[in-house]
Amino acid sequence: MTTGIIGGGIAGLSCALALARCGHKVEVFERAGAFREVGAGLQVGPNAMSALAELGLARRIAELAVSPPAIRIHDGLSGNLLSQLQLGPEFENRYGQPYRVIHRADLLRVLVEKAAETRNIQLNTSHELIALKQDGKTISATFANGATTSHDRLVAADGVHSVCRKLVFGGKGPVYAGHTLYRALCPIEDYSWLTHSDCVHLWLYPGGHIVHYPVSSGKQMNIVAAVEQ
Ligand SMILES: Cc1cc2nc3c(=O)[nH]c(=O)nc-3n(C[C@H](O)[C@H](O)[C@H](O)COP(=O)(O)OP(=O)(O)OC[C@H]3O[C@@H](n4cnc5c(N)ncnc54)[C@H](O)[C@@H]3O)c2cc1C
Protein backbone atom coordinates (compact mmCIF):
# COMPACT_ATOMS: atom_id res chain seq x y z
CA MET A 1 0.00 0.00 0.00
CA THR A 2 1.46 3.42 -0.98
CA THR A 3 0.82 6.62 0.96
CA GLY A 4 1.14 10.21 -0.23
CA ILE A 5 1.53 12.94 2.40
CA ILE A 6 0.72 16.53 1.48
CA GLY A 7 2.88 18.91 3.53
CA GLY A 8 6.41 18.41 4.85
CA GLY A 9 5.99 20.20 8.17
CA ILE A 10 6.22 18.67 11.63
CA ALA A 11 3.03 16.59 11.26
CA GLY A 12 3.75 15.40 7.69
CA LEU A 13 7.33 14.30 8.37
CA SER A 14 6.43 12.65 11.70
CA CYS A 15 3.62 10.77 9.97
CA ALA A 16 6.00 9.67 7.18
CA LEU A 17 8.52 8.32 9.71
CA ALA A 18 5.82 6.50 11.69
CA LEU A 19 4.36 4.85 8.56
CA ALA A 20 7.81 3.90 7.22
CA ARG A 21 8.58 2.19 10.55
CA CYS A 22 5.53 -0.02 9.92
CA GLY A 23 6.89 -0.96 6.48
CA HIS A 24 4.77 1.39 4.35
CA LYS A 25 6.12 3.16 1.27
CA VAL A 26 5.61 6.91 1.67
CA GLU A 27 5.98 9.94 -0.60
CA VAL A 28 5.97 13.43 0.98
CA PHE A 29 5.00 16.44 -1.17
CA GLU A 30 6.09 19.85 0.16
CA ARG A 31 5.04 23.12 -1.46
CA ALA A 32 8.24 25.02 -0.59
CA GLY A 33 11.40 24.73 -2.68
CA ALA A 34 13.22 23.32 0.37
CA PHE A 35 12.24 21.96 3.78
CA ARG A 36 12.38 25.43 5.30
CA GLU A 37 14.20 25.70 8.58
CA VAL A 38 12.29 28.73 9.84
CA GLY A 39 10.16 29.67 12.82
CA ALA A 40 10.97 30.21 16.45
CA GLY A 41 10.49 28.30 19.71
CA LEU A 42 8.22 25.33 20.32
CA GLN A 43 7.39 23.72 23.66
CA VAL A 44 7.53 19.92 23.41
CA GLY A 45 5.66 18.25 26.26
CA PRO A 46 6.22 14.64 27.42
CA ASN A 47 3.47 13.31 25.11
CA ALA A 48 5.21 14.79 22.04
CA MET A 49 8.60 13.63 23.37
CA SER A 50 7.18 10.08 23.69
CA ALA A 51 6.19 10.15 20.01
CA LEU A 52 9.60 11.52 18.97
CA ALA A 53 11.37 8.90 21.13
CA GLU A 54 9.29 6.19 19.44
CA LEU A 55 10.64 7.49 16.09
CA GLY A 56 14.21 7.09 17.44
CA LEU A 57 14.83 10.84 17.71
CA ALA A 58 15.07 11.42 21.49
CA ARG A 59 18.89 11.60 21.63
CA ARG A 60 19.21 14.03 18.69
CA ILE A 61 16.42 16.22 20.10
CA ALA A 62 18.15 16.27 23.51
CA GLU A 63 21.31 17.67 21.87
CA LEU A 64 19.45 20.62 20.31
CA ALA A 65 16.70 21.31 22.85
CA VAL A 66 16.73 22.73 26.36
CA SER A 67 15.16 20.98 29.38
CA PRO A 68 13.91 23.84 31.56
CA PRO A 69 13.92 23.05 35.29
CA ALA A 70 10.57 24.82 35.89
CA ILE A 71 7.70 26.86 34.44
CA ARG A 72 7.43 30.11 36.43
CA ILE A 73 4.16 32.06 36.24
CA HIS A 74 4.25 35.74 37.22
CA ASP A 75 1.83 38.61 37.65
CA GLY A 76 3.08 40.78 34.79
CA LEU A 77 2.16 44.06 36.53
CA SER A 78 3.66 43.45 39.99
CA GLY A 79 6.31 40.93 38.90
CA ASN A 80 5.26 38.63 41.77
CA LEU A 81 5.69 34.89 41.27
CA LEU A 82 2.18 33.38 41.27
CA SER A 83 3.02 29.72 40.75
CA GLN A 84 5.82 27.39 39.74
CA LEU A 85 5.67 23.96 38.10
CA GLN A 86 8.82 21.89 38.65
CA LEU A 87 9.93 20.00 35.50
CA GLY A 88 12.83 18.08 37.07
CA PRO A 89 13.38 14.33 37.64
CA GLU A 90 10.08 13.86 39.53
CA PHE A 91 8.14 15.28 36.55
CA GLU A 92 10.10 13.09 34.12
CA ASN A 93 9.51 9.95 36.24
CA ARG A 94 5.80 10.70 36.43
CA TYR A 95 5.27 11.33 32.69
CA GLY A 96 7.99 9.06 31.29
CA GLN A 97 9.67 11.80 29.23
CA PRO A 98 11.14 15.26 29.91
CA TYR A 99 9.58 18.61 29.02
CA ARG A 100 11.73 20.25 26.34
CA VAL A 101 11.80 23.53 24.44
CA ILE A 102 13.30 23.65 20.95
CA HIS A 103 13.67 25.93 17.93
CA ARG A 104 11.20 24.82 15.22
CA ALA A 105 14.07 24.83 12.71
CA ASP A 106 16.03 22.32 14.86
CA LEU A 107 13.02 20.00 15.23
CA LEU A 108 12.28 20.17 11.49
CA ARG A 109 15.96 19.51 10.65
CA VAL A 110 15.99 16.38 12.84
CA LEU A 111 12.82 15.09 11.14
CA VAL A 112 14.11 15.89 7.62
CA GLU A 113 17.49 14.21 8.29
CA LYS A 114 15.80 11.07 9.59
CA ALA A 115 13.29 10.99 6.71
CA ALA A 116 16.06 11.51 4.11
CA GLU A 117 17.97 8.47 5.40
CA THR A 118 14.86 6.25 5.60
CA ARG A 119 14.63 3.88 2.63
CA ASN A 120 10.80 3.80 2.39
CA ILE A 121 10.43 7.60 2.30
CA GLN A 122 10.71 9.77 -0.80
CA LEU A 123 10.82 13.53 -0.18
CA ASN A 124 9.60 15.93 -2.91
CA THR A 125 9.90 19.71 -2.68
CA SER A 126 8.30 22.35 -5.00
CA HIS A 127 5.10 20.25 -5.09
CA GLU A 128 2.14 22.47 -4.25
CA LEU A 129 -1.09 20.49 -4.23
CA ILE A 130 -3.87 22.16 -6.23
CA ALA A 131 -6.38 19.37 -6.95
CA LEU A 132 -7.52 15.96 -5.68
CA LYS A 133 -9.50 13.22 -7.44
CA GLN A 134 -10.72 10.03 -5.83
CA ASP A 135 -12.00 6.90 -7.59
CA GLY A 136 -12.93 3.56 -6.02
CA LYS A 137 -9.36 2.44 -5.32
CA THR A 138 -6.89 5.33 -5.52
CA ILE A 139 -6.61 9.03 -4.87
CA SER A 140 -4.83 11.24 -7.41
CA ALA A 141 -3.13 14.52 -6.59
CA THR A 142 -2.29 17.30 -9.04
CA PHE A 143 0.45 19.82 -8.28
CA ALA A 144 1.09 23.39 -9.45
CA ASN A 145 4.28 22.22 -11.24
CA GLY A 146 2.15 20.02 -13.54
CA ALA A 147 3.00 16.69 -11.86
CA THR A 148 0.30 14.19 -10.90
CA THR A 149 0.54 11.19 -8.56
CA SER A 150 -1.70 8.35 -7.52
CA HIS A 151 -1.71 6.61 -4.14
CA ASP A 152 -3.77 4.10 -2.19
CA ARG A 153 -4.24 6.75 0.49
CA LEU A 154 -3.38 10.39 1.01
CA VAL A 155 -2.64 12.16 4.31
CA ALA A 156 -3.46 15.88 4.57
CA ALA A 157 -0.71 17.53 6.65
CA ASP A 158 -0.66 20.90 4.91
CA GLY A 159 -1.14 23.04 7.99
CA VAL A 160 -3.69 25.46 9.32
CA HIS A 161 -4.53 26.91 5.86
CA SER A 162 -4.95 23.38 4.45
CA VAL A 163 -5.79 23.22 0.74
CA CYS A 164 -6.70 19.53 1.21
CA ARG A 165 -9.33 20.44 3.80
CA LYS A 166 -10.86 23.04 1.45
CA LEU A 167 -10.88 20.61 -1.49
CA VAL A 168 -12.55 17.83 0.53
CA PHE A 169 -14.86 19.76 2.87
CA GLY A 170 -15.13 23.25 1.28
CA GLY A 171 -15.42 26.22 3.63
CA LYS A 172 -13.42 29.40 3.98
CA GLY A 173 -10.60 28.24 6.25
CA PRO A 174 -9.56 29.57 9.65
CA VAL A 175 -11.36 32.50 11.27
CA TYR A 176 -9.28 35.12 13.11
CA ALA A 177 -10.08 34.80 16.83
CA GLY A 178 -8.79 38.22 17.86
CA HIS A 179 -5.46 37.04 19.34
CA THR A 180 -2.15 38.13 17.77
CA LEU A 181 1.25 36.64 18.61
CA TYR A 182 4.49 38.60 18.24
CA ARG A 183 7.67 36.49 18.29
CA ALA A 184 11.35 37.32 18.68
CA LEU A 185 14.65 35.47 19.06
CA CYS A 186 17.55 37.19 20.88
CA PRO A 187 21.10 36.13 21.82
CA ILE A 188 21.00 34.57 25.30
CA GLU A 189 23.83 36.95 26.44
CA ASP A 190 21.29 39.82 26.28
CA TYR A 191 19.47 38.11 29.19
CA SER A 192 22.36 37.75 31.64
CA TRP A 193 20.42 40.06 34.02
CA LEU A 194 17.46 37.65 34.17
CA THR A 195 17.25 35.25 37.12
CA HIS A 196 16.15 31.66 36.32
CA SER A 197 16.87 32.32 32.63
CA ASP A 198 16.90 28.54 32.00
CA CYS A 199 13.19 28.30 32.94
CA VAL A 200 9.99 28.83 30.93
CA HIS A 201 8.52 32.15 32.15
CA LEU A 202 4.90 33.21 31.72
CA TRP A 203 3.94 36.83 32.53
CA LEU A 204 0.18 37.45 32.75
CA TYR A 205 -1.27 40.89 31.90
CA PRO A 206 -4.83 42.14 31.42
CA GLY A 207 -5.53 41.38 27.72
CA GLY A 208 -2.35 39.45 27.01
CA HIS A 209 0.66 37.48 28.19
CA ILE A 210 4.37 37.07 27.46
CA VAL A 211 6.22 33.74 27.37
CA HIS A 212 9.97 33.28 27.09
CA TYR A 213 12.38 30.37 27.27
CA PRO A 214 15.81 29.42 25.89
CA VAL A 215 16.19 27.42 22.65
CA SER A 216 19.03 26.41 20.27
CA SER A 217 20.98 24.43 22.92
CA GLY A 218 20.59 27.46 25.22
CA LYS A 219 22.15 29.96 22.76
CA GLN A 220 19.00 32.00 22.03
CA MET A 221 16.03 33.33 24.02
CA ASN A 222 12.63 32.79 22.39
CA ILE A 223 10.05 35.45 23.28
CA VAL A 224 6.33 35.38 22.45
CA ALA A 225 3.91 38.20 23.26
CA ALA A 226 0.19 37.36 22.93
CA VAL A 227 -2.19 40.30 22.62
CA GLU A 228 -5.99 40.36 22.47
CA GLN A 229 -7.00 42.86 19.77
C1 LIG B 1 7.14 28.39 8.42
C2 LIG B 1 6.50 28.05 9.75
C3 LIG B 1 7.03 28.53 10.96
C4 LIG B 1 6.43 28.22 12.20
N1 LIG B 1 7.00 28.66 13.36
C5 LIG B 1 6.43 28.37 14.56
C6 LIG B 1 7.01 28.79 15.77
O1 LIG B 1 8.04 29.40 15.76
N2 LIG B 1 6.39 28.51 16.95
C7 LIG B 1 5.21 27.81 16.98
O2 LIG B 1 4.69 27.54 18.06
N3 LIG B 1 4.65 27.37 15.85
C8 LIG B 1 5.22 27.64 14.66
N4 LIG B 1 4.65 27.23 13.50
C9 LIG B 1 3.42 26.51 13.64
C10 LIG B 1 3.66 25.12 14.08
O3 LIG B 1 4.81 24.64 13.41
C11 LIG B 1 2.41 24.37 13.73
O4 LIG B 1 1.36 24.70 14.59
C12 LIG B 1 2.63 22.90 13.85
O5 LIG B 1 3.90 22.65 13.37
C13 LIG B 1 1.60 22.20 13.04
O6 LIG B 1 2.28 21.27 12.24
P1 LIG B 1 1.79 20.90 10.81
O7 LIG B 1 2.80 19.97 10.26
O8 LIG B 1 0.37 20.47 10.93
O9 LIG B 1 1.74 22.24 9.97
P2 LIG B 1 2.94 23.16 9.46
O10 LIG B 1 4.12 23.10 10.35
O11 LIG B 1 2.29 24.46 9.17
O12 LIG B 1 3.37 22.46 8.06
C14 LIG B 1 2.53 22.39 6.94
C15 LIG B 1 3.42 22.18 5.74
O13 LIG B 1 2.59 21.99 4.59
C16 LIG B 1 3.11 22.74 3.52
N5 LIG B 1 1.99 23.05 2.62
C17 LIG B 1 1.00 23.94 2.80
N6 LIG B 1 0.15 23.92 1.76
C18 LIG B 1 0.62 23.01 0.89
C19 LIG B 1 0.18 22.53 -0.39
N7 LIG B 1 -0.91 23.03 -0.99
N8 LIG B 1 0.90 21.56 -1.01
C20 LIG B 1 2.03 21.05 -0.41
N9 LIG B 1 2.49 21.47 0.79
C21 LIG B 1 1.80 22.43 1.43
C22 LIG B 1 3.72 23.98 4.17
O14 LIG B 1 4.69 24.60 3.35
C23 LIG B 1 4.33 23.39 5.44
O15 LIG B 1 5.64 22.94 5.24
C24 LIG B 1 5.24 27.47 12.24
C25 LIG B 1 4.71 26.98 11.01
C26 LIG B 1 5.35 27.25 9.78
C27 LIG B 1 4.80 26.69 8.47
mmCIF file with all atom_site columns, all heavy atoms in Angstrom, residues 31-49:
data_model
loop_
_atom_site.group_PDB
_atom_site.id
_atom_site.type_symbol
_atom_site.label_atom_id
_atom_site.label_alt_id
_atom_site.label_comp_id
_atom_site.label_asym_id
_atom_site.label_entity_id
_atom_site.label_seq_id
_atom_site.pdbx_PDB_ins_code
_atom_site.Cartn_x
_atom_site.Cartn_y
_atom_site.Cartn_z
_atom_site.occupancy
_atom_site.B_iso_or_equiv
_atom_site.pdbx_formal_charge
_atom_site.auth_seq_id
_atom_site.auth_comp_id
_atom_site.auth_asym_id
_atom_site.auth_atom_id
_atom_site.pdbx_PDB_model_num
ATOM 1   N N   . ARG A 1 31 ? 5.221  21.981 -0.559 1.00 0.00 ? 31 ARG A N   1
ATOM 2   C CA  . ARG A 1 31 ? 5.036  23.125 -1.465 1.00 0.00 ? 31 ARG A CA  1
ATOM 3   C C   . ARG A 1 31 ? 6.321  23.947 -1.645 1.00 0.00 ? 31 ARG A C   1
ATOM 4   O O   . ARG A 1 31 ? 6.656  24.371 -2.746 1.00 0.00 ? 31 ARG A O   1
ATOM 5   C CB  . ARG A 1 31 ? 3.932  23.999 -0.863 1.00 0.00 ? 31 ARG A CB  1
ATOM 6   C CG  . ARG A 1 31 ? 3.732  25.330 -1.517 1.00 0.00 ? 31 ARG A CG  1
ATOM 7   C CD  . ARG A 1 31 ? 2.608  26.082 -0.855 1.00 0.00 ? 31 ARG A CD  1
ATOM 8   N NE  . ARG A 1 31 ? 2.889  26.364 0.555  1.00 0.00 ? 31 ARG A NE  1
ATOM 9   C CZ  . ARG A 1 31 ? 2.050  26.961 1.377  1.00 0.00 ? 31 ARG A CZ  1
ATOM 10  N NH1 . ARG A 1 31 ? 0.862  27.313 0.944  1.00 0.00 ? 31 ARG A NH1 1
ATOM 11  N NH2 . ARG A 1 31 ? 2.375  27.190 2.631  1.00 0.00 ? 31 ARG A NH2 1
ATOM 12  N N   . ALA A 1 32 ? 7.049  24.157 -0.545 1.00 0.00 ? 32 ALA A N   1
ATOM 13  C CA  . ALA A 1 32 ? 8.238  25.025 -0.589 1.00 0.00 ? 32 ALA A CA  1
ATOM 14  C C   . ALA A 1 32 ? 9.361  24.382 -1.409 1.00 0.00 ? 32 ALA A C   1
ATOM 15  O O   . ALA A 1 32 ? 9.401  23.160 -1.577 1.00 0.00 ? 32 ALA A O   1
ATOM 16  C CB  . ALA A 1 32 ? 8.725  25.298 0.830  1.00 0.00 ? 32 ALA A CB  1
ATOM 17  N N   . GLY A 1 33 ? 10.279 25.212 -1.879 1.00 0.00 ? 33 GLY A N   1
ATOM 18  C CA  . GLY A 1 33 ? 11.401 24.730 -2.683 1.00 0.00 ? 33 GLY A CA  1
ATOM 19  C C   . GLY A 1 33 ? 12.413 23.952 -1.857 1.00 0.00 ? 33 GLY A C   1
ATOM 20  O O   . GLY A 1 33 ? 13.276 23.259 -2.393 1.00 0.00 ? 33 GLY A O   1
ATOM 21  N N   . ALA A 1 34 ? 12.336 24.073 -0.535 1.00 0.00 ? 34 ALA A N   1
ATOM 22  C CA  . ALA A 1 34 ? 13.217 23.324 0.370  1.00 0.00 ? 34 ALA A CA  1
ATOM 23  C C   . ALA A 1 34 ? 12.440 23.119 1.663  1.00 0.00 ? 34 ALA A C   1
ATOM 24  O O   . ALA A 1 34 ? 11.461 23.827 1.910  1.00 0.00 ? 34 ALA A O   1
ATOM 25  C CB  . ALA A 1 34 ? 14.492 24.115 0.643  1.00 0.00 ? 34 ALA A CB  1
ATOM 26  N N   . PHE A 1 35 ? 12.878 22.136 2.475  1.00 0.00 ? 35 PHE A N   1
ATOM 27  C CA  . PHE A 1 35 ? 12.242 21.964 3.780  1.00 0.00 ? 35 PHE A CA  1
ATOM 28  C C   . PHE A 1 35 ? 12.754 23.099 4.652  1.00 0.00 ? 35 PHE A C   1
ATOM 29  O O   . PHE A 1 35 ? 13.878 23.056 5.139  1.00 0.00 ? 35 PHE A O   1
ATOM 30  C CB  . PHE A 1 35 ? 12.547 20.583 4.352  1.00 0.00 ? 35 PHE A CB  1
ATOM 31  C CG  . PHE A 1 35 ? 11.821 19.514 3.601  1.00 0.00 ? 35 PHE A CG  1
ATOM 32  C CD1 . PHE A 1 35 ? 12.408 18.893 2.516  1.00 0.00 ? 35 PHE A CD1 1
ATOM 33  C CD2 . PHE A 1 35 ? 10.528 19.175 3.943  1.00 0.00 ? 35 PHE A CD2 1
ATOM 34  C CE1 . PHE A 1 35 ? 11.723 17.935 1.792  1.00 0.00 ? 35 PHE A CE1 1
ATOM 35  C CE2 . PHE A 1 35 ? 9.828  18.215 3.224  1.00 0.00 ? 35 PHE A CE2 1
ATOM 36  C CZ  . PHE A 1 35 ? 10.430 17.596 2.148  1.00 0.00 ? 35 PHE A CZ  1
ATOM 37  N N   . ARG A 1 36 ? 11.922 24.164 4.754  1.00 0.00 ? 36 ARG A N   1
ATOM 38  C CA  . ARG A 1 36 ? 12.385 25.431 5.300  1.00 0.00 ? 36 ARG A CA  1
ATOM 39  C C   . ARG A 1 36 ? 12.628 25.353 6.796  1.00 0.00 ? 36 ARG A C   1
ATOM 40  O O   . ARG A 1 36 ? 11.741 24.972 7.551  1.00 0.00 ? 36 ARG A O   1
ATOM 41  C CB  . ARG A 1 36 ? 11.344 26.530 5.033  1.00 0.00 ? 36 ARG A CB  1
ATOM 42  C CG  . ARG A 1 36 ? 11.295 26.933 3.587  1.00 0.00 ? 36 ARG A CG  1
ATOM 43  C CD  . ARG A 1 36 ? 10.286 28.015 3.385  1.00 0.00 ? 36 ARG A CD  1
ATOM 44  N NE  . ARG A 1 36 ? 8.953  27.586 3.833  1.00 0.00 ? 36 ARG A NE  1
ATOM 45  C CZ  . ARG A 1 36 ? 7.927  28.410 3.961  1.00 0.00 ? 36 ARG A CZ  1
ATOM 46  N NH1 . ARG A 1 36 ? 8.086  29.682 3.736  1.00 0.00 ? 36 ARG A NH1 1
ATOM 47  N NH2 . ARG A 1 36 ? 6.756  27.955 4.331  1.00 0.00 ? 36 ARG A NH2 1
ATOM 48  N N   . GLU A 1 37 ? 13.852 25.722 7.163  1.00 0.00 ? 37 GLU A N   1
ATOM 49  C CA  . GLU A 1 37 ? 14.196 25.698 8.584  1.00 0.00 ? 37 GLU A CA  1
ATOM 50  C C   . GLU A 1 37 ? 13.944 27.082 9.159  1.00 0.00 ? 37 GLU A C   1
ATOM 51  O O   . GLU A 1 37 ? 14.857 27.870 9.360  1.00 0.00 ? 37 GLU A O   1
ATOM 52  C CB  . GLU A 1 37 ? 15.638 25.256 8.755  1.00 0.00 ? 37 GLU A CB  1
ATOM 53  C CG  . GLU A 1 37 ? 15.835 23.842 8.245  1.00 0.00 ? 37 GLU A CG  1
ATOM 54  C CD  . GLU A 1 37 ? 17.239 23.333 8.407  1.00 0.00 ? 37 GLU A CD  1
ATOM 55  O OE1 . GLU A 1 37 ? 18.095 24.089 8.884  1.00 0.00 ? 37 GLU A OE1 1
ATOM 56  O OE2 . GLU A 1 37 ? 17.464 22.176 8.060  1.00 0.00 ? 37 GLU A OE2 1
ATOM 57  N N   . VAL A 1 38 ? 12.655 27.411 9.324  1.00 0.00 ? 38 VAL A N   1
ATOM 58  C CA  . VAL A 1 38 ? 12.293 28.732 9.839  1.00 0.00 ? 38 VAL A CA  1
ATOM 59  C C   . VAL A 1 38 ? 11.395 28.571 11.057 1.00 0.00 ? 38 VAL A C   1
ATOM 60  O O   . VAL A 1 38 ? 11.010 27.476 11.425 1.00 0.00 ? 38 VAL A O   1
ATOM 61  C CB  . VAL A 1 38 ? 11.570 29.574 8.764  1.00 0.00 ? 38 VAL A CB  1
ATOM 62  C CG1 . VAL A 1 38 ? 12.524 29.977 7.667  1.00 0.00 ? 38 VAL A CG1 1
ATOM 63  C CG2 . VAL A 1 38 ? 10.385 28.812 8.196  1.00 0.00 ? 38 VAL A CG2 1
ATOM 64  N N   . GLY A 1 39 ? 11.031 29.702 11.655 1.00 0.00 ? 39 GLY A N   1
ATOM 65  C CA  . GLY A 1 39 ? 10.157 29.667 12.821 1.00 0.00 ? 39 GLY A CA  1
ATOM 66  C C   . GLY A 1 39 ? 10.921 30.081 14.055 1.00 0.00 ? 39 GLY A C   1
ATOM 67  O O   . GLY A 1 39 ? 12.028 30.626 13.973 1.00 0.00 ? 39 GLY A O   1
ATOM 68  N N   . ALA A 1 40 ? 10.321 29.835 15.195 1.00 0.00 ? 40 ALA A N   1
ATOM 69  C CA  . ALA A 1 40 ? 10.970 30.205 16.454 1.00 0.00 ? 40 ALA A CA  1
ATOM 70  C C   . ALA A 1 40 ? 10.788 29.052 17.435 1.00 0.00 ? 40 ALA A C   1
ATOM 71  O O   . ALA A 1 40 ? 10.912 27.900 17.043 1.00 0.00 ? 40 ALA A O   1
ATOM 72  C CB  . ALA A 1 40 ? 10.395 31.518 16.950 1.00 0.00 ? 40 ALA A CB  1
ATOM 73  N N   . GLY A 1 41 ? 10.487 29.354 18.695 1.00 0.00 ? 41 GLY A N   1
ATOM 74  C CA  . GLY A 1 41 ? 10.489 28.301 19.710 1.00 0.00 ? 41 GLY A CA  1
ATOM 75  C C   . GLY A 1 41 ? 9.207  27.490 19.760 1.00 0.00 ? 41 GLY A C   1
ATOM 76  O O   . GLY A 1 41 ? 8.125  27.998 19.495 1.00 0.00 ? 41 GLY A O   1
ATOM 77  N N   . LEU A 1 42 ? 9.364  26.218 20.091 1.00 0.00 ? 42 LEU A N   1
ATOM 78  C CA  . LEU A 1 42 ? 8.221  25.331 20.323 1.00 0.00 ? 42 LEU A CA  1
ATOM 79  C C   . LEU A 1 42 ? 8.418  24.654 21.674 1.00 0.00 ? 42 LEU A C   1
ATOM 80  O O   . LEU A 1 42 ? 9.533  24.269 22.018 1.00 0.00 ? 42 LEU A O   1
ATOM 81  C CB  . LEU A 1 42 ? 8.153  24.235 19.257 1.00 0.00 ? 42 LEU A CB  1
ATOM 82  C CG  . LEU A 1 42 ? 7.904  24.636 17.810 1.00 0.00 ? 42 LEU A CG  1
ATOM 83  C CD1 . LEU A 1 42 ? 8.094  23.433 16.909 1.00 0.00 ? 42 LEU A CD1 1
ATOM 84  C CD2 . LEU A 1 42 ? 6.508  25.204 17.649 1.00 0.00 ? 42 LEU A CD2 1
ATOM 85  N N   . GLN A 1 43 ? 7.326  24.484 22.422 1.00 0.00 ? 43 GLN A N   1
ATOM 86  C CA  . GLN A 1 43 ? 7.392  23.717 23.664 1.00 0.00 ? 43 GLN A CA  1
ATOM 87  C C   . GLN A 1 43 ? 6.969  22.287 23.340 1.00 0.00 ? 43 GLN A C   1
ATOM 88  O O   . GLN A 1 43 ? 5.941  22.070 22.710 1.00 0.00 ? 43 GLN A O   1
ATOM 89  C CB  . GLN A 1 43 ? 6.463  24.329 24.707 1.00 0.00 ? 43 GLN A CB  1
ATOM 90  C CG  . GLN A 1 43 ? 6.821  25.791 24.984 1.00 0.00 ? 43 GLN A CG  1
ATOM 91  C CD  . GLN A 1 43 ? 6.155  26.331 26.234 1.00 0.00 ? 43 GLN A CD  1
ATOM 92  O OE1 . GLN A 1 43 ? 6.163  25.696 27.269 1.00 0.00 ? 43 GLN A OE1 1
ATOM 93  N NE2 . GLN A 1 43 ? 5.592  27.522 26.126 1.00 0.00 ? 43 GLN A NE2 1
ATOM 94  N N   . VAL A 1 44 ? 7.788  21.327 23.728 1.00 0.00 ? 44 VAL A N   1
ATOM 95  C CA  . VAL A 1 44 ? 7.535  19.919 23.406 1.00 0.00 ? 44 VAL A CA  1
ATOM 96  C C   . VAL A 1 44 ? 7.300  19.177 24.717 1.00 0.00 ? 44 VAL A C   1
ATOM 97  O O   . VAL A 1 44 ? 8.241  18.874 25.452 1.00 0.00 ? 44 VAL A O   1
ATOM 98  C CB  . VAL A 1 44 ? 8.735  19.311 22.632 1.00 0.00 ? 44 VAL A CB  1
ATOM 99  C CG1 . VAL A 1 44 ? 8.422  17.890 22.193 1.00 0.00 ? 44 VAL A CG1 1
ATOM 100 C CG2 . VAL A 1 44 ? 9.083  20.169 21.418 1.00 0.00 ? 44 VAL A CG2 1
ATOM 101 N N   . GLY A 1 45 ? 6.030  18.921 25.006 1.00 0.00 ? 45 GLY A N   1
ATOM 102 C CA  . GLY A 1 45 ? 5.661  18.247 26.256 1.00 0.00 ? 45 GLY A CA  1
ATOM 103 C C   . GLY A 1 45 ? 6.001  16.766 26.214 1.00 0.00 ? 45 GLY A C   1
ATOM 104 O O   . GLY A 1 45 ? 6.398  16.235 25.172 1.00 0.00 ? 45 GLY A O   1
ATOM 105 N N   . PRO A 1 46 ? 5.850  16.061 27.359 1.00 0.00 ? 46 PRO A N   1
ATOM 106 C CA  . PRO A 1 46 ? 6.224  14.639 27.421 1.00 0.00 ? 46 PRO A CA  1
ATOM 107 C C   . PRO A 1 46 ? 5.469  13.767 26.420 1.00 0.00 ? 46 PRO A C   1
ATOM 108 O O   . PRO A 1 46 ? 6.025  12.787 25.926 1.00 0.00 ? 46 PRO A O   1
ATOM 109 C CB  . PRO A 1 46 ? 5.864  14.230 28.853 1.00 0.00 ? 46 PRO A CB  1
ATOM 110 C CG  . PRO A 1 46 ? 5.786  15.484 29.621 1.00 0.00 ? 46 PRO A CG  1
ATOM 111 C CD  . PRO A 1 46 ? 5.398  16.566 28.669 1.00 0.00 ? 46 PRO A CD  1
ATOM 112 N N   . ASN A 1 47 ? 4.211  14.129 26.095 1.00 0.00 ? 47 ASN A N   1
ATOM 113 C CA  . ASN A 1 47 ? 3.473  13.313 25.114 1.00 0.00 ? 47 ASN A CA  1
ATOM 114 C C   . ASN A 1 47 ? 4.133  13.400 23.738 1.00 0.00 ? 47 ASN A C   1
ATOM 115 O O   . ASN A 1 47 ? 4.323  12.383 23.055 1.00 0.00 ? 47 ASN A O   1
ATOM 116 C CB  . ASN A 1 47 ? 1.986  13.717 25.059 1.00 0.00 ? 47 ASN A CB  1
ATOM 117 C CG  . ASN A 1 47 ? 1.791  15.215 24.905 1.00 0.00 ? 47 ASN A CG  1
ATOM 118 O OD1 . ASN A 1 47 ? 2.750  15.977 24.999 1.00 0.00 ? 47 ASN A OD1 1
ATOM 119 N ND2 . ASN A 1 47 ? 0.576  15.639 24.663 1.00 0.00 ? 47 ASN A ND2 1
ATOM 120 N N   . ALA A 1 48 ? 4.520  14.631 23.330 1.00 0.00 ? 48 ALA A N   1
ATOM 121 C CA  . ALA A 1 48 ? 5.210  14.792 22.041 1.00 0.00 ? 48 ALA A CA  1
ATOM 122 C C   . ALA A 1 48 ? 6.591  14.148 22.092 1.00 0.00 ? 48 ALA A C   1
ATOM 123 O O   . ALA A 1 48 ? 7.036  13.526 21.116 1.00 0.00 ? 48 ALA A O   1
ATOM 124 C CB  . ALA A 1 48 ? 5.328  16.270 21.694 1.00 0.00 ? 48 ALA A CB  1
ATOM 125 N N   . MET A 1 49 ? 7.274  14.260 23.246 1.00 0.00 ? 49 MET A N   1
ATOM 126 C CA  . MET A 1 49 ? 8.599  13.628 23.372 1.00 0.00 ? 49 MET A CA  1
ATOM 127 C C   . MET A 1 49 ? 8.485  12.108 23.264 1.00 0.00 ? 49 MET A C   1
ATOM 128 O O   . MET A 1 49 ? 9.365  11.452 22.711 1.00 0.00 ? 49 MET A O   1
ATOM 129 C CB  . MET A 1 49 ? 9.265  14.019 24.704 1.00 0.00 ? 49 MET A CB  1
ATOM 130 C CG  . MET A 1 49 ? 10.012 15.336 24.694 1.00 0.00 ? 49 MET A CG  1
ATOM 131 S SD  . MET A 1 49 ? 11.197 15.522 23.334 1.00 0.00 ? 49 MET A SD  1
ATOM 132 C CE  . MET A 1 49 ? 12.258 14.099 23.565 1.00 0.00 ? 49 MET A CE  1
#
